[in-house]
Amino acid sequence: MLHPLKSYFNFLWNSKNQHGVHSPFVYNLVTKCFYDTAKYTEYSTLKAYRNSLLANNETIEVIDFGAGSKVFKSTTRIISQIAKTAGISSKRAKLLFRITNYLQPNSILEIGTSLGLATSALSLGLEAKTNRAKLNKNAKITTLEGCTKTMAIAKNQCQIQNLNNIDFINTEFSSYLTTQNLQPTSYNPQPTTYNLVYFDGNHSKKATLKYFELLLPTITNDSIWIFDDIHWSKDMEETWEIIQNHPKVTVTIDTFQWGIVFFRIEQKKEHFVIRV
């Protein structure tokens, strides 16, 4: 418990707002996206999705392939409690919506669906009415989840909210990534690419770095990767440091909860700690 608290105070000490950012790309991202105060109509859908889960007191048996939970001691869990304690917060769901809406990626991969709170934010970001002029109607989200029960709830909730740009895949993450067409070959020189990858499925150093390496062949100059809970543990902080120092990584942003990664070759290697 002391580790995240110490990490948070260290984050506050080192963090800046837009006035400490000298990169035009990052400055625009922070001012036009992170600090965007517009009241998007899609926020009401995010709220309805969350409230529906918070009102659901049914229990399910959860299969956890990741690093485990710091909150739950049993695999039998109440849906409302999962949404309240383990799901993405309302504030971060809105930020994820804005990031997706601002960057308009063509293809999204989410590693860890859970109850779909983040999935809904990604989906709405692609379909936001504010971006109809540049909306890519073929943009899709592929979301991976190892637990059948939580994925079924997420799929049902997304159908209720008419979020139809999502492919739900029940799988163990490493198995899926190692069997997909991610590596270029002489027969297929252009493998699958993802413009945005949201990593929220296994908060362990070994697994996160494995996903990172497996997905590197999919990057483009416009790719954005978001790693959840980078200060969750000492191991995750070490993972974040390794990712920052990778030669293909240029710009990284630490928002405390998330580590955001860019691969823009025109940018000099730079790290930002931003209060959001």
Side-chain angles (χ1 to χ4, degrees), residues 108-236:
I108 297 175
L109 175 67
E110 179 186 32
I111 301 178
T113 315
S114 187
L115 297 176
L117 287 162
T119 318
S120 63
L122 293 165
S123 174
L124 288 165
L126 288 180
E127 297 190 338
K129 293 180 176 63
T130 55
N131 249 327
R132 290 299 181 192
K134 60 177 182 178
L135 183 65
N136 181 355
K137 294 183 179 180
N138 295 318
K140 294 288 288 186
I141 300 163
T142 300
T143 184
L144 313 179
E145 175 56 50
C147 177
T148 307
K149 297 292 180 64
T150 54
M151 172 161 275
I153 294 166
K155 191 172 184 178
N156 181 62
Q157 288 293 124
C158 287
Q159 288 173 344
I160 291 171
Q161 298 297 341
N162 294 313
L163 305 178
N164 302 312
N165 55 357
I166 309 163
D167 289 330
F168 292 88
I169 299 178
N170 181 217
T171 183
E172 194 277 320
F173 308 139
S174 293
S175 297
Y176 178 85
L177 295 177
T178 53
T179 57
Q180 294 307 295
N181 183 30
L182 303 180
Q183 296 285 346
T185 65
S186 57
Y187 298 102
N188 184 46
Q190 294 183 321
T192 303
T193 59
Y194 297 107
N195 301 109
L196 191 157
V197 182
Y198 182 60
F199 296 80
D200 186 24
N202 189 327
H203 302 330
S204 71
K205 181 178 181 179
K206 182 179 179 180
T208 304
L209 289 177
K210 183 175 183 180
Y211 307 153
F212 176 82
E213 293 292 343
L214 285 170
L215 284 163
L216 272 179
T218 73
I219 62 172
T220 68
N221 202 56
D222 297 323
S223 293
I224 171 175
W225 289 7
I226 303 173
F227 293 86
D228 189 48
D229 283 338
I230 57 170
H231 296 285
W232 192 75
S233 64
K234 185 178 178 181
D235 267 4
M236 282 302 291

Side-chain angles (χ1 to χ4, degrees), residues 62-100:
V62 173
I63 300 173
D64 194 340
F65 292 99
S69 171
K70 290 185 177 181
V71 177
F72 298 105
K73 304 302 180 186
S74 169
T75 54
T76 303
R77 300 171 188 175
I78 302 171
I79 292 170
S80 61
Q81 290 300 307
I82 300 173
K84 184 178 180 180
T85 60
I88 189 174
S89 69
S90 177
K91 180 180 179 181
R92 284 191 294 121
K94 290 177 181 178
L95 176 57
L96 189 58
F97 161 83
R98 293 198 302 274
I99 290 172
T100 310

